[in-house]
Amino acid sequence: MKIIIPNRLIGLRLDAAISEMLPELSRNKITSWIKSGKILIDSNPFKPKEKVLGGEIIEMNVSPETETNWIAEDIKLDIVFEDDEILILNKPSGLVTHPGAGNTHGTLANGILFARPELNQLDRAGIVHRLDKDTSGLMVVAKTETAKLSLIKQLESHSVSREYSAIVYGSMVTGGMVDEPIGRDSVNRQKQAVTKGGKPAITHYRVIEKFKNFTLIKAILETGRTHQIRVHMSHIGHPLLGDFTYGGRVKFPKGAKEELKVAIKEFPRQALHAKKLSIIHPADNKNFSWRSKLPEDLDTMINILREYDS
């Protein structure tokens, strides 16, 4: 198996970078494979502590029994578009993108392998980017090695355009841009945070509809850090509705009626949906775009906010 380390991981230790790209494998196992020569860079051995320069070709010469096998499972997929090179999927909230610690089954990747068994020949079943478990929306999956490499390069060069819809706390006056680095939270390593030592991260946002105590925004990623929109919106004082990780406990508007309180309290996830995806098609270099309707839970919440603003 071969993978290419993207430029976004430049400066990390090589063992840490490979671990980030292959979260289903333990860091200790990756380190031991490096030391034993089962993982090479451009066919040469290296030390785990060496730094990423960007673009390294990693060769993983591990036997099948030591690799993590993703099992095909009959999971319903919402396929928006498909041709010989790519799949465009509309992921529902609550579905993990691929197997990892604590989630070995029931993921989008398991469903992809059932629907398209031939993708078992591709690393990570052709998945080149992911959405958080509770984020819904559009994803692209490669069906060939050529398409995978093209999409990875596009993601790295920021030529893939990803537009999200989100409901945030507070009534925003106007849109803007957040240009703040993101890295591991120094206190809680399971979280991300704006930190000086983090990786560059840029989020553009625009106001779509204002309510008394909430705002529906469009967020466009210029970079693709973990939890980027959630971290950036929280950083500027507008955390996402339903995001307990970065928004803290449930907050009710002053004087809110009981029905609105119930709707806010019972909203099941962070209010975030990947609404639009634009890529350069790997086969003909033409620009393609797809849009996804807001899922029912977000649409219902927006209508409730409209009702209580009237």
Side-chain angles (χ1 to χ4, degrees), residues 91 95-97 129-139 164 274:
K91 187 186 86 68
L95 186 64
V96 175
T97 297
H129 69 120
R130 63 175 180 151
L131 294 176
D132 295 340
K133 174 184 176 182
D134 291 327
T135 297
S136 55
L138 296 171
M139 292 180 58
Y164 293 72

Coordinates of all heavy atoms in Angstrom, one line a residue, residues 91 95-97 129-139 164 274:
K91 N -23.7 12.3 2.8 CA -23.6 11.5 4.1 C -24.7 12.0 5.1 O -24.7 13.2 5.3 CB -22.2 11.7 4.7 CG -22.0 10.8 5.9 CD -20.7 11.0 6.6 CE -20.7 12.2 7.6 NZ -21.6 11.9 8.8
L95 N -23.4 9.2 11.0 CA -22.7 8.1 10.3 C -21.2 8.5 10.3 O -20.8 9.5 9.8 CB -23.2 7.9 8.9 CG -22.5 6.7 8.1 CD1 -22.9 5.4 8.7 CD2 -23.0 6.8 6.6
V96 N -20.3 7.6 10.9 CA -18.9 7.8 10.9 C -18.4 7.6 9.5 O -18.8 6.7 8.8 CB -18.2 6.9 11.9 CG1 -16.7 7.0 11.9 CG2 -18.7 7.2 13.3
T97 N -17.4 8.4 9.1 CA -16.9 8.2 7.7 C -16.1 6.9 7.5 O -16.4 6.2 6.5 CB -15.9 9.4 7.4 OG1 -16.7 10.6 7.5 CG2 -15.3 9.3 6.0
H129 N -11.3 12.5 1.9 CA -11.5 13.5 2.9 C -12.7 13.0 3.7 O -13.3 12.0 3.4 CB -11.8 14.9 2.3 CG -13.1 15.0 1.6 ND1 -14.2 15.8 2.0 CD2 -13.6 14.3 0.5 CE1 -15.2 15.7 1.1 NE2 -14.9 14.8 0.3
R130 N -13.0 13.6 4.8 CA -14.1 13.1 5.7 C -14.9 14.2 6.3 O -14.6 15.4 6.2 CB -13.5 12.2 6.8 CG -12.6 13.0 7.8 CD -12.2 12.2 8.9 NE -11.3 13.0 9.8 CZ -11.2 12.7 11.1 NH1 -12.0 11.8 11.7 NH2 -10.5 13.5 11.9
L131 N -16.1 13.8 6.8 CA -16.9 14.7 7.5 C -17.1 14.1 8.9 O -17.1 12.9 9.1 CB -18.3 14.8 6.9 CG -18.4 15.5 5.5 CD1 -19.9 15.4 5.0 CD2 -18.0 16.9 5.6
D132 N -17.2 15.0 9.9 CA -17.4 14.5 11.3 C -18.7 13.6 11.3 O -19.6 13.8 10.5 CB -17.6 15.7 12.3 CG -16.4 16.5 12.4 OD1 -15.3 16.1 12.1 OD2 -16.6 17.7 12.8
K133 N -18.8 12.7 12.3 CA -19.9 11.8 12.4 C -21.2 12.6 12.4 O -22.2 12.2 11.7 CB -19.8 11.1 13.8 CG -21.0 10.2 14.1 CD -20.9 9.6 15.5 CE -22.2 8.8 15.8 NZ -22.1 8.2 17.2
D134 N -21.4 13.7 13.1 CA -22.6 14.4 13.2 C -22.8 15.5 12.2 O -23.7 16.4 12.3 CB -22.9 14.9 14.6 CG -23.1 13.7 15.6 OD1 -23.7 12.7 15.1 OD2 -22.7 13.8 16.7
T135 N -21.9 15.6 11.2 CA -22.0 16.6 10.1 C -22.5 15.9 8.9 O -22.0 14.8 8.6 CB -20.6 17.3 9.8 OG1 -20.2 18.0 11.0 CG2 -20.8 18.2 8.6
S136 N -23.5 16.4 8.3 CA -24.1 15.8 7.1 C -23.6 16.5 5.9 O -23.0 17.6 5.9 CB -25.7 15.9 7.2 OG -26.0 17.3 7.3
G137 N -23.8 15.9 4.7 CA -23.6 16.5 3.4 C -22.7 15.8 2.5 O -22.4 14.6 2.6
L138 N -22.2 16.6 1.5 CA -21.5 16.0 0.3 C -20.1 15.6 0.5 O -19.3 16.4 1.2 CB -21.6 17.0 -0.8 CG -23.0 17.3 -1.3 CD1 -23.0 18.5 -2.3 CD2 -23.7 16.1 -2.0
M139 N -19.7 14.5 0.0 CA -18.3 14.0 0.0 C -18.0 13.4 -1.4 O -18.9 12.9 -2.0 CB -18.1 12.9 1.1 CG -18.2 13.3 2.5 SD -18.0 11.9 3.6 CE -16.3 11.4 3.1
Y164 N -20.5 25.1 3.4 CA -21.4 24.6 4.4 C -22.5 25.5 4.9 O -22.3 26.7 4.8 CB -20.5 24.2 5.7 CG -19.5 23.2 5.5 CD1 -18.3 23.4 4.7 CD2 -19.7 21.9 6.1 CE1 -17.4 22.4 4.6 CE2 -18.7 20.9 5.9 CZ -17.6 21.1 5.2 OH -16.6 20.1 5.0
A274 N -22.7 20.0 4.9 CA -21.9 20.3 3.7 C -22.8 20.4 2.5 O -23.1 19.4 1.8 CB -20.8 19.2 3.5

